[in-house]
Amino acid sequence: MVALIAENAKTGAYTQEFDERYRRIAEEINALKEEQAEAEKKKRLAENYEQRVKDMDAFLSGNSSQIPEFDNDLVRRLVASIRVISADRIQIQFQSGIVMEQEIGNE
């Protein structure tokens, strides 16, 4: 863009061609800025996801696999939602995005 302005200053004439080239370069700069902002946003989301996975891993490795009683904190960290499908089936969605269906035994 600077080269274009310098070239135009040397000729000393304002033309439609200069205006059009300037507009195209400005649009290209704006598009690149938007792409950069989107890339930064994706990077932050990826870092956030990685940190959540590390937190969950640290939490799970700090606890034994045998849980003697209901752990409300663990459930809140792992489960995003539970949906009742029918009287004997539920759907569990985990924070990681994994969805599973579970049959409930009526004993």
Side-chain angles (χ1 to χ4, degrees):
M1 187 177 280
V2 174
L4 176 63
I5 293 171
E7 178 185 321
N8 191 53
K10 286 180 186 176
T11 61
Y14 178 78
T15 63
Q16 279 296 108
E17 180 186 350
F18 168 80
D19 195 34
E20 181 62 27
R21 288 173 62 193
Y22 185 87
R23 185 188 58 75
R24 280 190 304 231
I25 292 171
E27 287 175 354
E28 195 173 316
I29 289 172
N30 287 337
L32 290 172
K33 285 181 181 179
E34 288 175 10
E35 287 178 22
Q36 183 181 24
E38 185 66 27
E40 285 293 323
K41 181 180 175 183
K42 287 181 180 179
K43 180 182 174 186
R44 283 192 308 274
L45 286 173
E47 288 171 353
N48 185 21
Y49 177 78
E50 287 177 18
Q51 185 60 45
R52 285 180 33 213
V53 169
K54 286 178 185 176
D55 290 345
M56 284 176 53
D57 187 44
F59 180 80
L60 291 174
S61 65
N63 291 314
S64 70
S65 61
Q66 297 295 324
I67 302 173
E69 60 187 43
F70 180 79
D71 187 344
N72 193 42
D73 187 43
L74 178 62
V75 171
R76 290 185 183 276
R77 284 177 174 253
L78 297 177
V79 177
S81 67
I82 299 174
R83 198 174 110 214
V84 177
I85 296 174
S86 66
D88 59 346
R89 293 194 72 72
I90 60 171
Q91 183 182 64
I92 303 167
Q93 180 174 0
F94 293 92
Q95 295 288 355
S96 65
I98 296 172
V99 177
M100 67 175 277
E101 287 190 20
Q102 180 66 42
E103 190 168 320
I104 302 171
N106 292 327
E107 297 176 20

